[in-house]
Amino acid sequence: FILSRPAEFYSETLCHEFVVPVAAPEVAEQLKEPADFLRVPLFHDDSIKFLLPALDWTAWFEAAGLGPVPEARRGPRFSNADHAIDGAMEGGGVALARGSLAERDVTAGRLVIPLPLGLSLGGQFCFVCKSGMERDRRVATFLAWLREEVQAVDALSARLTLHPLPA
C-alpha cells in the first residue's frame, strides 16, 4: 500500500483502497439512510488510525451529509480490521471496512453494503519491482495472478460513490 510511487522502480497500480460500511444482511435491512446507522453499534477499525485526516465514522457521516455527529465515536474499537469485519458479519453491528478486506465477503453475500457511499483513502496497492524485472517470465506470471486477484476490489469500488477525504 503506497501513497506515492517510487520513480526509480517499475510500479503498477493494482487497486485503489477505500472504506465502505458493511453489515450482515439482517442488519443491513434496517439501514436505509445514513441516520439509521446511529441506531446500531458502529465498529471502528483502529488499524488505519495513522491516516490523516482520520478515516472513520465521523468522516463517513460528514460525507453522507449529516455533518459532525458525536455518536459517530461510540462503539467497539478493533486493532485488527478483520475483527471489525467479523463482528459485522456475525450481526453485531456495522463496520466501516476496507474494500480490499471485505470484497470477498460482500461478493459471497456474507456482508452487504447498506448504502453505496464510501471514502477513498487516496492510496493504492501497487506492484513494485526493480525496473526491467516486470518482463521476467516468473515475475510477469506473478503480476498477472495479482491483477486477477484484485480486479474484484476495483469492480466493487465502481459500484460506489467514493468521497475523497477532506484535506
Side-chain angles (χ1 to χ4, degrees):
F1 179 80
I2 61 175
L3 297 172
S4 63
R5 293 172 179 249
E8 63 275 13
F9 293 95
Y10 172 83
S11 67
E12 178 180 320
T13 298
L14 296 172
C15 67
H16 293 86
E17 187 61 292
F18 58 93
V19 295
V20 64
V22 296
E26 62 274 9
V27 174
E29 289 174 3
Q30 306 167 41
L31 307 172
K32 304 296 184 206
E33 58 186 56
D36 294 341
F37 286 69
L38 298 171
R39 292 193 286 272
V40 298
L42 302 175
F43 294 164
H44 300 265
D45 171 10
D46 284 348
S47 72
I48 55 175
K49 283 179 77 169
F50 66 92
L51 293 170
L52 296 174
L55 189 68
D56 56 15
W57 281 108
T58 299
W60 186 85
F61 281 113
E62 289 182 17
L66 293 183
V69 177
E71 298 95 316
R73 299 187 194 288
R74 69 169 171 72
R77 307 193 85 75
F78 298 91
S79 59
N80 291 308
D82 58 328
H83 295 168
I85 293 169
D86 288 345
M89 203 173 345
E90 291 298 322
V94 60
L96 194 58
R98 289 186 273 168
S100 62
L101 299 179
E103 178 277 322
R104 287 186 184 201
D105 291 317
V106 169
T107 299
R110 292 183 292 267
L111 287 171
V112 173
I113 298 171
L115 293 176
L117 173 65
L119 299 170
S120 172
L121 270 71
Q124 59 237 331
F125 286 98
C126 293
F127 173 81
V128 180
C129 68
K130 184 177 176 183
S131 289
M133 286 298 297
E134 73 278 8
R135 292 185 296 274
D136 178 272
R137 181 187 54 78
R138 294 166 296 179
V139 174
T141 299
F142 177 64
L143 179 55
W145 174 79
L146 282 174
R147 287 181 192 125
E148 188 175 312
E149 285 295 304
V150 301
Q151 69 183 357
V153 176
D154 272 342
L156 177 61
S157 73
R159 299 183 353 221
L160 306 171
T161 299
L162 295 176
H163 289 260
L165 284 176

